[in-house]
Amino acid sequence: MTTETVVVVGSSTGGVRTAQALRREGFAGRIVLVGEEPHAPYDKPPLSKQYLAGEWELDRLALITPEAAASAEIELRLGVAAVRLDVAAQQVLLADGTALDFDSVVIATGAAARPSPWPADSGVHVIRTLADVDGLRADLAAGGAVVVVGGGVVGAEAAATISTLGHAVTVVDPLRTPLARLVGPEVGRPLEELHRRHGVDTRFGVGVEGIDGTAGNLTVRLTDGSVLPAATVLVGIGAVPNDAWLADSGLLVENGVVCDRYCRAVDSDRVWAVGDVARWQDPRYPTEVRLEHWTNAVEQAAAVAHNIVHADGLKPYSPLEYVWSDQYDWKLQIVGHASRGGRYEVVGDLAADPARAAVLYSDDDGRLIGAVSVNWPKALVTSRRALTAGGSDFESFVEQIKALPAKPPAPAAR
Amino acid sequence: MKVQIDSQLCQGHGRCYDLAPDLFGEDDEGYATLTALTADGNVPEGREGDIRLAAANCPESAVLVHEEALNDRR
Ligand SMILES: Cc1cc2nc3c(=O)[nH]c(=O)nc-3n(C[C@H](O)[C@H](O)[C@H](O)COP(=O)(O)OP(=O)(O)OC[C@H]3O[C@@H](n4cnc5c(N)ncnc54)[C@H](O)[C@@H]3O)c2cc1C
Ligand code: SF4
């Protein structure tokens, strides 16, 4: 008798949740989870938040403990990278020279921080892994001003955290407002104001020309001719999928592993992809999409586990986009599409301190297409349900949100 | 199996109560609560999978699951 083996490559959110979901689906074969990093699987969102702030220790980032992995019979192969995928031979080759045979393989190698295009000898950091943040914290400990290049989720969150740690911080981004790929200026401007209220200097609409010097003594040259001195620079300019190890696999790899609507590689029935590395054909869209959101990695993991176990009942994967970000006292939650321009309505006050508001977005046909909430989870969850149900008439949905209970509970109640 | 919501950690992402609406509820602000079925922290027989699903989907690790028996994986 043979047992089936699923090899999952990548030991973070997407990989760990795939392994767990396979067991939930009743998969009784062998599961091997391969991870390049030596650490027990850890979660990434706290890296720019509580872990960077020094509030949380590593153990609070655990995605699965070695004990829980053992009891679910998930074999961990940590500290060794997969270097090659041989689809025909059904083998994953590892950096230590060993090979793992598989019946199915799940590619969950995620993404890496886009490297700084401005070479400098030292003092210039990115945030993607634990090692990145440990390196950044070591430089921050020496004190001094910090320039954050990039006002996306990672850059803006890190700027908030680093300024709360007591550093003078400047954020630079050629886009007009923070989080511009996720939210429009109606949210981005008040968010920029929030940063400024907390003492962060912001240079939106300005690019970086170059970075000179070494740790503790850097200068950042901007496209408007100004020069910012910094002890430390953090570059948060996006992520690139970790797909180089698949170059000679024969799989179609193009800004991620290209997959069908079931998240299965277009070239092989045995190869699947989840999380930041997967570019799949969501049936709602004309071309494949790739998301870099935590809940997408988890939901896609569940979808892939389902499809591996139920070969005769494949389900297409079509999630509702959801992402959150924590900056100072703002808990931002974003669902659906909130950055496409068009009509929107603000319920509540984003400029208040503390803010509590929802911004609702409509398409041209007067249907709800997205929502952003700040410190108001109820508004977000209500929007998500309406979007899941297929969208609502915009006017009446705005009234529904306005009718939600107005007062936040006393902080002591939580 | 036992379940708890850590209300210090819960940020109201609403994943738990959307995925298992009879096992988790929400308060006026959207933060998670237990329900009549889970109020005492005990997970109803046969619903362990749904509890694990909710825990796996909680971005804040605020759904605390205590597995009693090691062998109730299904
Ligand atoms: C600082 C930061 C903050 C974030 N905050 C939020 C947030 O607030 N909200 C939100 O929705 N999302 C957030 N995200 C995004 C979210 O964390 C990602 O979408 C999620 O981590 C994707 O999971 P993944 O498993 O697909 O990829 P990854 O997390 O990138 O994990 C991939 C894993 O594969 C390993 N690996 C790579 N190559 C190989 C190889 N060849 N062999 C073996 N292993 C390999 C890597 O070491 C890594 O452990 C944040 C991301 C970062 C970096
Ligand atoms: S999923 Fe987690 S954070 Fe969200 S409401 Fe449930 S317990 Fe709270």
Side-chain angles (χ1 to χ4, degrees):
Chain A
M1 201 190 105
T2 58
T3 26
E4 270 203 43
T5 299
V6 177
V7 173
V8 181
V9 186
S11 59
S12 193
T13 307
V16 169
R17 293 297 186 250
T18 303
Q20 292 173 313
L22 280 166
R23 291 298 182 219
R24 271 202 319 274
E25 293 285 346
F27 178 76
R30 180 176 181 220
I31 301 177
V32 189
L33 185 63
V34 180
E36 176 170 27
E37 295 171 76
H39 320 280
Y42 63 89
D43 206 11
K44 300 222 159 55
L47 291 182
S48 49
K49 309 175 179 79
Q50 299 91 341
Y51 186 77
L52 176 58
E55 290 164 12
W56 287 9
E57 297 297 324
L58 180 54
D59 59 347
R60 290 197 59 176
L61 273 51
L63 279 169
I64 188 171
T65 60
E67 301 74 51
S71 86
E73 291 175 46
I74 297 167
E75 290 174 43
L76 299 178
R77 287 290 298 272
L78 302 176
V80 58
V83 291
R84 208 172 151 240
L85 179 64
D86 188 332
V87 177
Q90 294 178 225
Q91 277 194 331
V92 175
L93 295 126
L94 305 184
D96 63 5
T98 59
L100 291 167
D101 294 325
F102 63 78
D103 295 284
S104 301
V105 63
V106 180
I107 298 166
T109 44
R114 188 183 298 282
S116 166
W118 309 286
D121 288 336
S122 59
V124 178
H125 296 264
V126 294
I127 299 186
R128 183 75 199 186
T129 65
L130 198 58
D132 292 338
V133 182
D134 289 341
L136 170 62
R137 284 173 66 181
D139 273 5
L140 289 177
V146 178
V147 171
V148 176
V149 182
V153 170
V154 171
E157 284 189 354
T161 306
I162 294 168
S163 98
T164 305
L165 288 172
H167 298 262
V169 176
T170 306
V171 182
V172 183
D173 194 311
L175 298 178
R176 288 273 149 208
T177 47
L179 268 51
R181 286 191 179 76
L182 293 171
V183 297
E186 59 284 351
V187 177
R189 284 215 186 87
L191 178 58
E192 180 179 3
E193 269 315 302
L194 177 75
H195 278 272
R196 299 189 75 92
R197 275 208 301 280
H198 283 84
V200 169
D201 192 8
T202 58
R203 305 288 177 90
F204 284 93
V206 183
V208 169
E209 203 125 272
I211 303 175
D212 309 302
T214 53
N217 188 20
L218 292 157
T219 50
V220 182
R221 283 178 283 115
L222 305 187
T223 50
D224 65 359
S226 57
V227 172
L228 301 171
T232 303
V233 174
L234 172 62
V235 177
I237 52 171
V240 283
N242 287 322
D243 54 18
W245 68 284
L246 298 166
D248 63 356
S249 65
L251 297 174
L252 180 61
V253 174
E254 239 174 47
N255 180 26
V257 180
V258 181
C259 296
D260 65 13
R261 53 173 50 201
Y262 308 112
C263 309
R264 192 173 49 181
V266 290
D267 337 74
S268 168
D269 283 357
R270 299 186 178 275
V271 181
W272 307 77
V274 304
D276 288 13
V277 76
R279 200 151 73 78
W280 88 105
Q281 180 60 63
D282 186 319
R284 287 174 302 166
Y285 301 125
T287 59
E288 298 96 354
V289 287
R290 193 172 70 77
L291 294 179
E292 295 177 351
H293 301 165
W294 193 94
T295 50
N296 173 64
V298 174
E299 293 184 79
Q300 201 164 22
V304 162
H306 170 94
N307 287 343
I308 289 176
V309 174
H310 303 279
D312 47 0
L314 295 180
K315 283 196 207 151
Y317 176 61
S318 188
L320 186 57
E321 292 83 350
Y322 173 68
V323 61
W324 75 94
S325 177
D326 303 336
Q327 299 175 39
Y328 313 100
D329 64 349
W330 272 36
K331 301 269 173 203
L332 267 154
Q333 297 172 286
I334 303 159
V335 67
H337 301 289
S339 61
R340 295 195 170 168
R343 231 189 109 196
Y344 65 87
E345 186 96 31
V346 183
V347 181
D349 188 2
L350 282 170
D353 188 11
R356 183 171 187 272
V359 186
L360 309 170
Y361 295 82
S362 161
D363 66 11
D364 294 340
D365 302 328
R367 314 281 301 170
L368 179 73
I369 51 161
V372 178
S373 75
V374 175
N375 300 333
W376 197 3
K378 189 74 167 191
L380 191 287
V381 167
T382 308
S383 307
R384 191 166 60 207
R385 283 187 191 138
L387 289 164
T388 305
S392 296
D393 170 62
F394 187 65
E395 304 291 341
S396 48
F397 188 74
V398 170
E399 293 310 313
Q400 192 185 333
I401 293 296
K402 283 181 178 164
L404 289 177
K407 280 257 167 60
R414 294 209 55 247
Chain B
M1 182 187 268
K2 295 224 169 218
V3 67
Q4 251 181 301
I5 300 285
D6 186 327
S7 53
Q8 297 297 105
L9 290 178
C10 174
Q11 299 295 342
H13 295 287
R15 304 298 300 141
C16 58
Y17 54 76
D18 274 357
L19 289 163
D22 61 334
L23 302 174
F24 301 96
E26 59 186 301
D27 68 13
D28 274 356
E29 276 296 296
Y31 298 104
T33 61
L34 294 175
T35 64
L37 286 182
T38 49
D40 54 1
N42 286 312
V43 174
E45 196 79 26
R47 300 301 302 280
E48 292 83 2
D50 291 327
I51 295 283
R52 287 196 195 97
L53 176 70
N57 276 274
C58 174
E60 312 288 343
S61 302
V63 177
L64 307 181
V65 180
H66 308 278
E67 308 263 352
E68 279 147 347
L70 271 183
N71 275 338
D72 63 355
R73 202 176 63 209
R74 262 212 55 79

